[in-house]
Structure formats: C-alpha cells, structure tokens
Amino acid sequence: MASDLITTELVALDADFGDSVDTVITNLATLVHGTGRATEVSGLAQSAIEREAKAGTGVPGGVAIPHCRSETVTEPTLAFARLSRGVDFSGPDGDARLVFLIAAPAAGGKTHLQILSKLARALVRKEFLEALRAASTEEEIVKEILTVVNAEKPRKRQKESADAASIASAGASESVGTSSPAQATRIVAITACPTGIAHTYMAADALIHTAGERNDVDLTVETQGSSNNESVSQSTIDAADAVIFATDVGVRDRERFAGKPVIESGVKRAINEPGTMLDEAIAAAKNPNARKVSGTVSSSSAKEEGPSLGWGKRIQQAVMTGVSYMVPFVAAGGLLLALGFLFGGADMANGWQTLSTDYSLSNLPGHDITVDGETMSFEHSGYSLYIGAVLFAIGQAAMGFIVAALSGYIAYALAGRPGIAPGFVGGAIAVTLDAGFIGGLVTGLLAGFIALWIGNWKVPRWLGSLMPVVIIPLLTALGVGLLMYLLLGAPLAALMEGLQDWLSSMSGSSAVVLGIILGLMMCVDLGGPVNKAAYLFATAGLSTGDAASMQIMAAVMAAGMVPPIALSLATFIRKSLFTPAERENGKSAWLLGLSFVSEGAIPFAAADPFRVIPSMMVGGAVTGAVSMALSVESRAPHGGIFVAFAIDPFWAYLVAILAGVAVSTASVLAMKQFWPNETIQQAADRDARKSKSPSQNVAA
C-alpha cells in the first residue's frame, strides 16, 4: 500500500456529518475530492451509497467501513471521520462513530478488499479503537491507521501440533467372477464421484460384493477416483457383454467403450441398488436394441443413451466433473498456502513474491523487507521466512489453476478432448477479467457446447482428421474469448465483485445466517451436488487471504465433519437403534469425520434418510453458525482436524464441531427412538436373539 493512502487532509475529527448514512458518505467523499483523488463528489458518493444499500457496513465497536470502486477515483484512498453523533450503518451494536471510507479506482482490482480485510483484523483489537477515539490530532490518526494497513503485525495465532493422517483407497481395477465365466455375463463397471474419494469406492465395493454372491456375472470394476487408478485393459472391455457407468461425473476415456450396451446412473444408485444395476446390465447384454455407448461425445448422445441422461443431467455431470478435477489443485494449493503461513507467519500474503524471488538459501531475508518500495516488518526471518515464502509461492501457483481446471474439465465432460484447450483458455480469460469461479463455470459450459456443435459439422474426409486437434480448439477458443471480452466478462466480473463485497461485509447476525446456510448445504446430501457447491463456494476465495473467505472455509469444513462423527457416536451410545452393518460402519466413520470426509455418513443416510439427513442438517447448521459467530478462520481447504496449524482460533473450531456433533447425535437418537424404523428395528431384534447364550436358548 502507498504510504499516502491516507493523509491528514482525509481525516475529520469530532465532525458533524449529519444524521444519515448518505450524508456521512457524501462528506467523506468531499474529503477525497478535496485532495484531488476523485474527479467528482457525487459519483464517488453514489457508488458508495449504492454499495451500502446492498448490505450495511457497520461492524462491532461502533465502526462502519463503507467502500466501493468508482470511475471517479484516481488512486486508492482511505478517508476517516470520528463523528460527534453516531449514525446507523446497520452495525450489530448500534450507531457508528468511527467511519472509514475506502475508495478504489474502478480498474483497481481487489485493492479495496485488501484494505478492508486488514482494517477488519485491526478493528477487533480494542487498543486500536481506543487509540482512534483518544487521538487529539489528525497526525495521530494517520499514524495509527497506516501502522495497521501497511505493516500490520500478525495476530498471535494459536499453534497446535497434529499428526498428519491420510485415507488412501486402492485404485486398481478389480475383478470378481464365477467358476464358469463362459456361462456368465461379462460386465465392466466404471464408478466415479466428484471428489473421487468415498462414493467412488463405496459403489465399486457394493457392485463387487453383490456380483461375488452370484453365479451369473463376471464383473470387472474400474474406479476413476483420486488415487492412482489402473484402467481396465482394452481386451477386457472388448470381451465385455455390457458396461455399467455409475458416475456423477463424466467417464474418463469414454470412447474405449464405444458400441457396448450401457446402463448409466448416478454413483449412489450403485451403492443402494447394486443387484438391480447388474440385472439391468444382463438384460441389456441380451437386448439387441439396448442403448449403446457412442464412439464420440456428440449432440446425439443423449438420444442414443436414453432419456435418463437429458441435457439437465449432462450439464450437472459436466459441472461435477469440473469440480472433481479442480479439487486436487485446491487441496494441494490450499495446504501449501497454509504451510507457508505456518513457516513464514500470518503476514506472508503481503510479501511472498518478493521474498521467494529476491532471496535464496544463501541470501536469507531479515525481519524488515522492502516490498514495492515500502518497508515491511515480518514476524519471522531467515530460513523460516524464506521457506514459508517458497511454500506460499508454490501454493499460489497451484491455486492459480483452479478456475482454468474447473472450466477446462467442464468443457471436457461435454465435448471430450477437443473441449479441454478452449475450456482452459476460457478459464484463464475469466481470471484475467476478474470473473472468478462464476466466470469459469460459464466459460466451461460455453466451450463445451461450442466444441460439441462444431464437432457435429459434416466436413470432407481430408479435413476430419484436423477437426479434434486444430479446427475445434481454434474456433471454440476464439468464440469463447470473443464472447467473454465483448459481452460477458464485465457482467460476470460485476457479479463476482458483488459476491465478494457481500462476503466481506458479513458480520454479526448476518455472518451467522451465512454459516447456517453453509452448514445445511454441507449436510443435505453428504458429498452430492449441494455439498460440492458449498465447498466450491468456500474454496473459490481462499487464495485472496481475506478474513471473510477464511471464515467461510472454516465453517464449511467444520460442518462437513459433523455427520460421520455424530453417527459414529450415536452407534456407540445406543447400539440397539442401529443395524449390525451400521454399527460396523460406526467403528470407522469417526475417523472419516475427523478427516473431513462427509461421505462416511452415506451408509447411514442411504438406509434411513428421513431420520438421518434432517438430524445431520440441524447439527451442521449449528456448527456453521457457531464457527462464523466465533470468527474461526481456516487457511486450509481440507484435512479436518489434522490441519490444526492452519485454523485460528483452534479452540473455537473444536467448540463449533462439538456443538454440532452433540445436536446431531441427540437428534438422530431421538428420531430413531420416538419414530422407529421398522426394518432397522427388526434387524436389531434378530441380532439380539442371535446374541443370546446357548443356555438361554435351551431354557427357552
């Protein structure tokens, strides 16, 4: 930040700026105009007033932070007024007397959000507010504000040690058959879910287990998950009588299965109805008119593969495919950013580029570093600061691919390989135009549909070989680029900015409401589209390093941990309310929960959705609300309890999780006790009878 971000001419002490928000903002805009940093008062004031109308910027402590970007502003500026009479900026504790106006140029990127996040962090410190209230001169005000905006000392962070843990699933293709495979129907199944962690392998296990109990199926399963998967050999595919696609994302290398009878559904159906899907695959193998896998992704695919995969479902699968391929970038990049903060300190985000490029192992940085012409003081120095900056730089590089990966693989799911390049190009353009992940979603769909359309053109044979590698990527990238630059870029950027502004303004009760909504979303389908939408929403802003984004990330991760832990605890407290299979799942579900794998609760929800899902949603909402109310921040996008070093304050994070677990556990036990599930109760009774001792049976 420039040292003259605020000057004495931009400070008004004990001023009477009127009794309304509009008059206060207008008077502050007048100060900015008076220093020559705005071309007119009315334009700047109107921009800030319109922004204020979306959501009040009052924060705890009798403070307000109206802010905006405006064409009238020539350089980033901060104006301050200590009012003689308070004005209602919709703050949580009454009228505001300390008011900051952050004015940024329209093309100033996220400058005002960066200033806002630093101010917000400083405003929680009572000594800073007291200094502003007690200052007798404008010079004192300027000194206090520049201290926190330009060289803010990192907050004391609670450091906890935690053992790293990971959950790895086998990724190789697995086969199960009968002793007489010549008499059995040979089936190849593909299972895949958006994250490639839980649903993928649960569906594979369900199909393999069911096939192993039958003598009419020779089944081979390929799991397209997140681990190092081994593809089914082409010879096995060629020999198959039918294929099963149990996926919530696009099937990788789908053309391998061209011409095979296909049964296609979401991944959860394979978990819940594996026998039915095998029966349908056997029937399809015997039916010459059964749906076939198309050799290429084309507009006729939906028709060839039946009405069960309409355009709505295909778009959903495409988006989930994009999220699936994006998650590794988020996980790797986010955890590296968190490690950078751990080694280098909480102020790492302010100077990582300079530290990682201007210094080396033989030229280590000290505490005071010159960044963009300004001297900044860092908490750490030497090896710790340099290694932290390198880790942060690597994490930023990974996070920089998020939007492009999202866009590229959405396009891939719709149009196959010809859609990848234009999808990545569209995602990069979305980042350039500040359209963020919303722009990535739009460019991915655009690239997919345009590539799909061009791929259906009838062209001469000599041109056909050039279509997928030259013509389709070229024309599609051109079309997406022109649409973004000429039509869609500015509206999408405005939408993204509005979303960021709204998040940054969240405080008090409004933040708690957001936490409740996110908690409900994380628990409503336990790893499904709604859950992934909340997760995408949280990770999208993580790289900015602002407090609001990190609080949303913490609320999402904490809420997602609740269902497996709560259900595991419930099986230990009241075993009689759960089937033997559920009790067995309960023995490991708690570890999945601690690792932030919400899918650990799926077996319970699949068996008893009307009792389990509402109970989990209630607990998730409580956790989200408590996490936001306590301003918990997470710099890591995954890892659960095992990334304690990246969560601040960690004690509040634990409180939020424990509160939600307690509510969900009590709720599910009450639902099962007072509204018993007859099927589960009968299974529990049978299990109880089997557990009787031999003497008891003889006596009976």
Side-chain angles (χ1 to χ4, degrees):
M1 300 297 173
S3 60
D4 58 351
L5 177 71
I6 183 171
T7 64
T8 54
E9 291 80 8
L10 292 164
V11 176
L13 294 182
D14 303 320
D16 185 351
F17 276 179
D19 58 0
S20 71
V21 169
D22 290 5
T23 58
V24 171
I25 290 177
T26 300
N27 278 287
L28 285 168
T30 302
L31 293 180
V32 176
H33 178 257
T35 61
R37 301 182 180 207
T39 56
E40 61 179 37
V41 174
S42 59
L44 171 57
Q46 188 60 33
S47 295
I49 291 169
E50 289 176 356
R51 167 61 192 84
E52 192 72 23
K54 298 176 183 176
T57 57
V59 297
V63 180
I65 319 176
H67 53 280
C68 70
R69 292 199 301 193
S70 173
E71 296 285 355
T72 66
V73 179
T74 58
E75 60 181 292
T77 301
L78 180 61
F80 171 78
R82 188 172 69 196
L83 304 178
S84 60
R85 52 173 171 163
V87 174
D88 184 9
F89 277 79
S90 302
D93 50 5
D95 293 346
R97 288 181 178 269
L98 304 178
V99 183
F100 299 86
L101 172 64
I102 300 172
K110 299 179 177 64
T111 300
H112 69 304
L113 292 178
Q114 294 169 353
I115 301 171
L116 180 64
S117 65
K118 289 190 173 185
L119 274 178
R121 292 176 178 179
L123 294 175
V124 301
R125 301 204 301 264
K126 292 183 179 179
E127 63 271 19
F128 176 62
L129 295 180
E130 289 303 320
L132 296 180
R133 293 189 180 101
S136 57
T137 65
E138 288 81 358
E139 288 78 7
E140 292 178 42
I141 294 289
V142 171
K143 180 180 178 181
E144 291 291 340
I145 293 175
L146 289 179
T147 298
V148 300
V149 172
N150 286 347
E152 181 186 355
K153 295 290 184 181
R155 291 169 298 167
K156 184 178 180 181
R157 299 178 64 231
Q158 181 178 0
K159 290 180 168 44
E160 301 283 348
S161 61
D163 295 329
S166 63
I167 300 175
S169 299
S173 60
E174 300 175 69
S175 178
V176 58
T178 68
S179 58
S180 303
Q183 301 174 4
T185 301
R186 291 163 296 190
I187 299 173
V188 172
I190 303 295
T191 62
C193 65
T195 55
I197 297 176
H199 287 73
T200 299
Y201 301 102
M202 292 169 64
D205 290 345
L207 289 168
I208 290 170
H209 176 74
T210 303
E213 296 176 342
R214 303 169 58 146
N215 57 11
D216 59 345
V217 174
D218 180 15
L219 176 70
T220 302
V221 179
E222 177 184 319
T223 52
Q224 295 187 353
S226 58
S227 60
N228 186 21
N229 301 305
E230 179 183 333
S231 299
V232 174
S233 67
Q234 190 60 48
S235 60
T236 301
I237 296 172
D238 292 342
D241 300 306
V243 297
I244 293 174
F245 292 158
T247 70
D248 286 336
V249 296
V251 176
R252 196 159 53 234
D253 299 326
R254 186 187 184 100
E255 60 272 12
R256 294 179 295 157
F257 306 93
K260 293 294 179 181
V262 63
I263 297 300
E264 199 159 4
S265 76
V267 69
K268 285 187 179 180
R269 186 166 182 244
I271 299 173
N272 299 332
E273 303 175 6
T276 302
M277 293 200 71
L278 291 173
D279 290 338
E280 292 174 354
I282 293 172
K286 298 176 180 178
N287 180 6
N289 297 317
R291 291 177 286 140
K292 304 293 195 302
V293 180
S294 175
T296 59
V297 180
S298 68
S299 60
S300 61
S301 295
K303 181 178 180 181
E304 292 175 3
E305 294 169 8
S308 60
L309 277 183
W311 281 112
K313 179 64 175 178
R314 293 187 67 194
I315 291 173
Q316 177 190 334
Q317 286 191 349
V319 172
M320 298 305 282
T321 298
V323 173
S324 176
Y325 281 97
M326 182 201 74
V327 166
F329 290 95
V330 174
L335 289 172
L336 284 166
L337 292 178
L339 288 171
F341 283 120
L342 176 65
F343 281 87
D347 48 3
M348 177 56 57
N350 300 323
W352 62 272
Q353 290 173 305
T354 299
L355 289 165
S356 61
T357 56
D358 293 357
Y359 295 88
S360 65
L361 291 174
S362 60
N363 177 31
L364 297 172
H367 285 284
D368 296 327
I369 305 298
T370 300
V371 179
D372 295 332
E374 298 295 326
T375 300
M376 298 185 61
S377 296
F378 290 86
E379 179 185 19
H380 299 274
S381 63
Y383 283 107
S384 177
L385 182 59
Y386 176 67
I387 295 300
V390 170
L391 291 170
F392 198 92
I394 298 171
Q396 282 284 10
M399 296 293 280
F401 283 100
I402 289 176
V403 175
L406 175 67
S407 178
Y409 286 108
I410 288 175
Y412 164 68
L414 288 171
R417 290 177 182 174
I420 293 180
F424 268 83
V425 170
I429 292 173
V431 173
T432 301
L433 298 179
D434 289 331
F437 78 94
I438 295 177
L441 288 170
V442 172
T443 56
L445 293 172
L446 281 175
F449 284 123
I450 294 174
L452 196 61
W453 172 58
I454 297 175
N456 285 321
W457 289 358
K458 294 181 179 180
V459 297
R461 184 181 298 274
W462 62 269
L463 188 59
S465 61
L466 294 176
M467 290 293 288
V469 294
V470 177
I471 306 300
I472 296 176
L474 170 64
L475 296 181
T476 304
L478 177 63
V480 172
L482 290 174
L483 285 171
M484 285 297 291
Y485 276 108
L486 301 181
L487 296 176
L488 300 176
L492 290 173
L495 178 61
M496 194 67 192
E497 181 188 355
L499 179 62
Q500 291 172 328
D501 288 345
W502 173 60
L503 294 179
S504 300
S505 68
M506 281 287 182
S507 63
S509 59
S510 59
V512 171
V513 171
L514 179 60
I516 291 173
I517 294 171
L518 292 173
L520 292 172
M521 292 177 69
M522 287 301 294
C523 298
V524 69
D525 57 358
L526 303 171
V530 178
N531 172 285
K532 289 301 177 289
Y535 183 71
L536 176 62
F537 178 68
T539 58
L542 197 59
S543 61
T544 64
D546 63 279
S549 295
M550 291 188 289
Q551 288 174 11
I552 290 170
M553 189 71 254
V556 163
M557 186 158 66
M561 294 168 63
V562 167
I565 299 174
L567 287 164
S568 179
L569 182 61
T571 61
F572 283 102
I573 295 175
R574 291 290 304 276
K575 293 183 179 180
S576 62
L577 296 178
F578 297 88
T579 65
E582 288 177 325
R583 293 200 292 271
E584 193 64 28
N585 286 327
K587 294 178 181 179
S588 59
W590 63 272
L591 180 58
L592 295 174
L594 292 178
S595 305
F596 182 40
V597 180
S598 305
E599 290 89 341
I602 287 176
F604 300 91
D608 195 11
F610 297 111
R611 295 162 184 79
V612 170
I613 291 178
S615 302
M616 298 306 104
M617 291 175 66
V618 172
V622 169
T623 293
V626 173
S627 178
M628 293 295 281
L630 296 178
S631 300
V632 183
E633 298 178 7
S634 174
R635 302 181 189 277
H638 216 293
I641 207 75
F642 301 107
V643 291
F645 64 87
I647 299 171
D648 181 32
F650 186 61
W651 67 266
Y653 188 70
L654 290 178
V655 168
I657 294 172
L658 291 174
V661 167
V663 170
S664 281
T665 302
S667 298
V668 75
L669 290 176
M671 292 281 278
K672 286 180 175 288
Q673 174 70 37
F674 299 110
W675 183 27
N677 184 315
E678 293 182 3
T679 303
I680 292 178
Q681 190 60 51
Q682 290 171 2
D685 291 342
R686 286 195 300 270
D687 183 59
R689 287 195 295 270
K690 290 179 182 179
S691 65
K692 288 183 179 180
S693 66
S695 59
Q696 288 175 310
N697 289 333
V698 170

